[in-house]
Amino acid sequence: MNAWEDLLKLFKEWDESGVLRHVTELDAGGRKEVAAQLPAYLARESRTPGWGDWSGQVRPPLLAGVACLGGAAAVTAWMFRREFNWRSAYSVDPGRVVELLRLRPVEWQADVARRIAARTRLPDLLYWEVVAKLVREHGIDPPDDDAFKLGWLRTLSPRADPADPLFAAYGPRIFEIDGLAGIGLWRVVETVMTLLGQGALDRTSVIEGVLRRLLRDGPGAPVELAGLHDRLDLDIDESARHARDYTALLPAGPVAVADVALAQLRRLEEAGRLEEELFAEALESLTFRPEKKLLRAALSWAGDAVLRDAGRADTVLAALSQILIQDTLALQERAVRLAVKLAPKAGPEGREAIRQAAAELPEELREKISAAYGGGIAAPDLPDTPVLTAGRGPAMPPPIASPEELARELAAYSWRADAYCYERLLAGLAEWSHRDPERLRAALRPWCQPFEPSAYGYYADEVYDNVRHAVYRAFLAFASPQDSKELTGAAPRRRNPWMPGAPERLYHRRALELVTPFEEGTGYPVLLATPTAGTGGLDPSALLDRLELLEAEGVRALPADLAQALLRLPRRCSPSDVERAARLTSEAGRRCAAWMRDGGLADPGVSVSVRPAVHSWQWQDLSVELTPPAPGLPEQVRDLFELRDGHTYALTWWSLVLPANREFAAAHLIGHLVTSMEASDQQTQVLAVLAHGDGPPGPAMAHALVSGMGRARAAERAAATDALLTLAARGEVPARELAEAITALVTADLVKLNRVVSALDDATQAGAYEAVWAVIAHVLEGLLPKEGERPRAGVADLLAAGARAARIAGVRAHLPQVAAVAARKGSSRLVLEARRLAHLIGSPGPGR
């Protein structure tokens, strides 16, 4: 046997240690032989389904290439080949890589180190330790690549050696390194404080570095550096040297950073060491911030500063004019009080700024400004709002146009794929296996050879069933029936068929039921259930065409395929389609005719209940129940009446299963959405698609929408807002059910009210103010506190959002709960917002 054949045997056994021994013992000729064979081997193996799923499979060829390829460029390119995915690259032992590189000359190693550092990228930082070892061993110049420097920062410890070449190169510029926010920066802060105490870092350089980094990153500045700045405890002279830096931090820095800057500026101003120009600039910057905390701080500073120097009145009034137009009543009241107090000292510019801003105030506050500043301040016209439209739903991508395209799509198919990719693959398999089977087999041959059971979820005595493996099984059954039969005949002791919900099981069944006809050679010429609309809907005439083709070919419809096709039909079919269906003669045709004639699947009754936890250590109890399925429904449809909780990354698939029964589909979503409020997995996109479906929305749809509105991230909430806008444009908002869902989920602490209010506010600005008002009016009934009760967080924001929607909608109404809160004594924000809303809806005003 030659060098390559010996090595290939070790590859197949996943023998990493054996590979290392073998390649280090090879002579130049043997290494050259291996180097010539490796690229083709890797290209061939990587096309095998499941390649890269196990790191032990791919590490041996990776290390063999490091040892045997010739030039530094070739070795570096080999290490970063896409076939060596994250599993192998992260799990490879850097010491073994360095051990192999040490077999080459030092200059060659330095060249490799520079090339690896240049290709290191965030956030992976692959092979960082390899380069670090080479730099420290051979005195190579530390790389200047930011990603590599970040790798050093991740390893920095309080025991760092100042003589370390990496510390000497990067320590003085520690805060210039990109990607700071992507690491555990709190640990870096503690390390810097320790190193400062040891004298390993220079204090002045650290202060300047922190401020430069905060300025550079602006809105994305890491707040941990604000904490580090506080711990540095600057004296007044150090602060004065950076007054302009602090002023520049106010407009865009995170709140924590702005707090630090403001504290330093106030300190300097109170000590008489802040230039008037910087005072005016800082105050103006604060008043343009949206955060209420900073606006309150601006008001406080403005009031104190004008007491110290009355000549600042116009500067302060200019700042107040910006706060007056903030739609927060408590801030407006404070700004009005200060503006009225300063009216006798106001110059022409200050007066005009206040008068213009006062036009946006509620009537009572506007009158106070008008009385103090010369009268005649009129209320503004209502703002223009967009025309509310439902927009277009998602589009179905085009069908696969050739066997070669189908093979490429299959090779790219992964667990991240969406339902549209799944539908295109199965439809393409049915079509091209019928139209040009030999051409399709030729295109699939590199994909399915060599045969590896693990690519289809078969591992020794255990089988993992999921949708991806079921799709692979369907393609294998066509491309290589004999290999497929081997899997079908296997009898593993354990199966792991768990899937989070019945909709996913239906996708799984549809793919897996294609295996038998392909193994038996009968085939399946067309997939009945492929949707014709992006919502999952299926045009009745398209389904009838497909059923007629099956009848002409003498092929029996597959059960899950037929069931899914029927579920995708519209709720009402045209008389001509019903008549055409009645002429079908097969069992599937007769079932379709009856389904179309009877109006499809009747909407099941849905009830949702939320029971708050009695104790802090208990979970809240959210229960979703369906009425039992009607007798005679196909098994695949009856299975959909089973609901499960949990987490899945495939929620966006689920609405396409029941496009004509939105409420039924939503019942499946609630338990998954409500348990993942902090997630950023884009699963709420299912709501935007669901809203474009059909069927009356009810409590399930309402709870699903509120769960989407309650997500922590604005981008996740946006999909729920889009769904609400679609429903509003179509006149389908279930206002009472939405209000009940908000009340129940907020009361049970499953959803944060301020997040829901934010989503409702966005819908108001987009033109859905009437629907938003209808929802908020009902929510206030359940969430406004009774006399003596502590108000829930976010209720004042809810009142303010109601006022914004009511003002645009021109609503007049009497809400006893709001009137009761408005009548209370005091000036809390809750009471003030209740008074504003009561005034708006209880007196006539311009409407639309």
Side-chain angles (χ1 to χ4, degrees):
M1 297 179 69
N2 59 27
W4 172 248
E5 290 173 344
D6 289 340
L7 189 61
L8 193 60
K9 181 179 179 181
L10 295 170
F11 284 172
K12 291 180 178 179
E13 295 173 353
W14 298 9
D15 187 352
E16 186 176 337
S17 298
V19 167
L20 282 171
R21 287 192 302 272
H22 183 70
V23 296
T24 54
E25 294 170 356
L26 290 175
D27 58 16
R31 289 194 297 272
K32 185 175 181 180
E33 178 188 347
V34 170
Q37 295 285 350
L38 274 173
Y41 168 81
L42 184 59
R44 183 173 64 253
E45 287 297 300
S46 64
R47 290 195 296 267
T48 304
W51 168 264
D53 284 351
W54 301 96
S55 58
Q57 178 186 20
V58 290
R59 282 198 307 265
L62 189 156
L63 294 171
V66 172
C68 296
L69 292 171
V75 169
T76 305
W78 178 259
M79 292 170 67
F80 282 92
R81 282 187 64 142
R82 61 181 176 81
E83 292 90 347
F84 297 131
N85 62 14
W86 65 272
R87 291 179 185 271
S88 56
Y90 275 123
S91 63
V92 70
D93 182 352
R96 288 188 160 179
V97 175
V98 172
E99 180 183 341
L100 294 172
L101 295 176
R102 286 191 186 117
L103 301 175
R104 315 292 185 101
V106 171
E107 276 305 314
W108 189 95
Q109 294 181 50
D111 192 8
V112 168
R114 286 188 289 269
R115 292 175 184 273
I116 293 176
R119 296 190 62 161
T120 300
R121 294 290 181 270
L122 297 172
D124 303 321
L125 298 175
L126 299 184
Y127 308 117
W128 181 88
E129 291 183 52
V130 172
V131 180
K133 285 177 178 291
L134 294 176
V135 168
R136 287 168 172 148
E137 283 184 13
H138 302 302
I140 301 168
D141 289 338
D144 198 38
D145 307 275
D146 277 312
F148 184 80
K149 289 187 284 189
L150 184 64
W152 167 79
L153 192 56
R154 285 182 173 177
T155 67
L156 183 64
S157 78
R159 296 181 297 278
D161 181 4
D164 176 14
L166 296 180
F167 185 91
Y170 306 145
R173 299 179 294 151
I174 191 170
F175 299 111
E176 298 174 14
I177 299 173
D178 278 337
L180 283 178
I183 64 174
L185 197 50
W186 61 269
R187 182 186 56 78
V188 175
V189 168
E190 295 299 327
T191 301
V192 166
M193 290 300 298
T194 301
L195 293 172
L196 275 171
Q198 296 171 355
L201 291 174
D202 176 67
R203 174 180 171 83
T204 300
S205 297
V206 169
I207 293 172
E208 292 176 351
V210 167
L211 289 172
R212 280 198 303 269
R213 186 54 185 254
L214 292 175
L215 286 167
R216 190 189 96 175
D217 286 357
V223 296
E224 292 89 346
L225 294 189
L228 173 57
H229 180 282
D230 278 346
R231 293 178 65 180
L232 291 171
D233 192 21
L234 278 65
D235 62 36
I236 192 72
D237 293 325
E238 289 174 320
S239 296
R241 284 196 290 272
H242 297 287
R244 291 191 178 275
D245 293 335
Y246 295 128
T247 304
L249 285 172
L250 289 178
V255 173
V257 173
D259 278 342
V260 166
L262 176 58
Q264 294 296 328
L265 290 169
R266 287 199 68 164
R267 174 192 187 192
L268 292 171
E269 185 269 327
E270 291 168 2
R273 299 189 62 175
L274 183 65
E275 298 174 13
E276 286 301 309
E277 174 191 357
L278 292 182
F279 168 73
E281 182 182 342
L283 197 58
E284 180 184 22
S285 296
L286 282 172
T287 59
F288 278 97
R289 295 290 300 243
E291 299 89 356
K292 296 179 180 65
K293 176 182 179 181
L294 294 178
L295 292 171
R296 288 194 296 268
L299 277 169
S300 174
W301 188 20
D304 292 344
V306 79
L307 287 177
R308 284 189 285 271
D309 185 350
R312 295 167 168 167
D314 275 4
T315 298
V316 169
L317 288 171
L320 292 180
S321 68
Q322 295 301 318
I323 296 178
L324 289 177
I325 62 176
Q326 295 285 336
D327 194 13
T328 302
L329 193 57
L331 287 170
Q332 290 174 329
E333 288 209 330
R334 287 185 60 184
V336 165
R337 286 198 298 269
L338 184 54
V340 169
K341 184 177 180 180
L342 294 178
K345 302 173 184 177
E349 292 183 3
R351 282 182 165 275
E352 185 58 25
I354 292 296
R355 286 181 59 83
Q356 289 184 8
E360 301 290 336
L361 289 170
E363 182 178 355
E364 181 182 355
L365 298 179
R366 187 172 66 250
E367 289 175 354
K368 290 181 179 180
I369 293 290
S370 185
Y373 283 81
I377 301 176
D381 295 331
L382 288 175
D384 291 330
T385 54
V387 176
L388 191 60
T389 59
R392 301 179 65 179
M396 188 69 188
I400 289 175
S402 71
E404 292 73 24
E405 181 186 356
L406 180 58
R408 289 194 299 272
E409 292 289 319
L410 178 63
Y413 183 65
S414 71
W415 66 270
R416 297 182 182 88
D418 58 27
Y420 303 108
C421 179
Y422 167 96
E423 296 292 356
R424 292 179 76 232
L425 284 173
L426 289 194
L429 174 60
E431 177 185 358
W432 289 104
S433 64
H434 183 66
R435 285 179 57 180
D436 201 340
E438 293 310 313
R439 184 179 168 193
L440 180 57
R441 282 196 180 92
L444 292 175
R445 193 166 294 118
W447 173 83
C448 66
Q449 293 180 356
F451 173 59
E452 175 56 58
S454 64
Y456 308 94
Y458 284 73
Y459 300 98
D461 62 346
E462 190 165 14
V463 175
Y464 288 84
D465 273 344
N466 58 40
V467 174
R468 179 167 65 102
H469 287 143
V471 171
Y472 287 166
R473 284 297 314 277
F475 274 85
L476 179 69
F478 168 75
S480 183
Q482 194 58 43
D483 289 332
S484 181
K485 289 177 182 177
E486 179 181 329
L487 295 181
T488 300
R493 292 196 297 272
R494 291 182 298 170
R495 300 187 69 86
N496 183 12
W498 185 88
M499 270 162 277
E504 265 175 80
R505 292 201 298 276
L506 184 53
Y507 281 109
H508 182 263
R509 285 182 178 182
R510 288 177 54 208
L512 212 55
E513 70 182 0
L514 289 170
V515 170
T516 298
F518 284 133
E519 285 183 352
E520 294 176 350
T522 58
Y524 196 63
V526 64
L527 208 66
L528 299 176
T530 304
T532 54
T535 58
L538 175 56
D539 182 79
S541 61
L543 175 57
L544 295 174
D545 289 342
R546 297 166 186 173
L547 283 167
E548 288 170 355
L549 175 60
L550 287 188
E551 289 190 357
E553 296 283 338
V555 176
R556 183 185 179 91
L558 296 173
D561 184 34
L562 176 61
Q564 177 63 96
L566 298 179
L567 290 169
R568 284 176 167 165
L569 288 172
R571 298 170 71 85
R572 291 166 294 280
C573 297
S574 68
S576 60
D577 285 328
V578 174
E579 182 181 348
R580 181 182 169 192
R583 295 195 291 270
L584 295 169
T585 58
S586 64
E587 180 185 349
R590 291 191 297 272
R591 184 176 295 176
C592 177
W595 186 280
M596 294 171 69
R597 182 190 65 238
D598 298 340
L601 178 66
D603 293 306
V606 181
S607 64
V608 185
S609 59
V610 183
R611 185 175 61 193
V614 177
H615 302 288
S616 60
W617 47 265
Q618 289 180 323
W619 290 98
Q620 290 83 1
D621 181 16
L622 189 148
S623 174
V624 185
E625 295 183 359
L626 301 173
T627 55
L633 286 176
E635 175 191 354
Q636 295 78 13
V637 178
R638 294 175 64 85
D639 283 350
L640 292 171
F641 283 75
E642 177 193 346
L643 303 178
R644 284 186 179 178
D645 293 339
H647 183 70
T648 174
Y649 287 101
L651 281 191
T652 53
W653 296 48
W654 292 18
S655 64
L656 275 64
V657 172
L658 293 159
N661 301 85
R662 284 183 299 194
E663 182 72 354
F664 193 2
H668 282 279
L669 301 175
I670 301 171
H672 300 271
L673 288 171
V674 86
T675 56
S676 55
M677 289 297 155
E678 307 304 312
S680 56
D681 51 15
Q682 300 182 331
Q683 298 295 287
T684 56
Q685 293 296 326
V686 67
L687 299 172
V689 178
L690 189 66
H692 283 280
D694 202 0
M701 187 74 172
H703 280 78
L705 278 175
V706 176
S707 298
M709 294 178 186
R711 285 292 184 105
R713 289 163 176 79
E716 298 284 323
R717 297 195 294 268
T721 304
D722 287 345
L724 179 60
L725 293 174
T726 298
L727 294 174
R730 294 166 59 164
E732 296 176 339
V733 174
R736 173 64 73 174
E737 288 88 349
L738 267 174
E740 291 172 352
I742 293 171
T743 302
L745 293 173
V746 168
T747 303
D749 292 324
L750 291 170
V751 165
K752 293 184 178 180
L753 181 58
N754 64 324
R755 297 175 183 174
V756 176
V757 170
S758 173
L760 292 173
D761 253 342
D762 289 344
T764 294
Q765 298 303 316
Y769 43 86
E770 291 181 345
V772 170
W773 167 252
V775 172
I776 290 179
H778 292 310
V779 174
L780 290 171
E781 297 174 7
L783 290 185
L784 279 178
K786 304 293 189 296
E787 187 70 43
E789 286 183 350
R790 183 175 182 179
R792 182 175 294 274
V795 173
D797 293 327
L798 180 67
L799 286 162
R804 285 186 283 274
R807 179 169 178 256
I808 300 172
V811 169
R812 293 195 64 189
H814 177 63
L815 299 181
Q817 297 89 345
V818 175
V821 175
R824 295 178 188 174
K825 296 179 180 180
S827 57
S828 67
R829 185 173 173 233
L830 176 74
V831 172
L832 292 176
E833 294 291 359
R835 289 172 185 167
R836 174 165 65 160
L837 178 57
H839 180 78
L840 271 172
I841 64 178
S843 58
R848 292 181 181 271

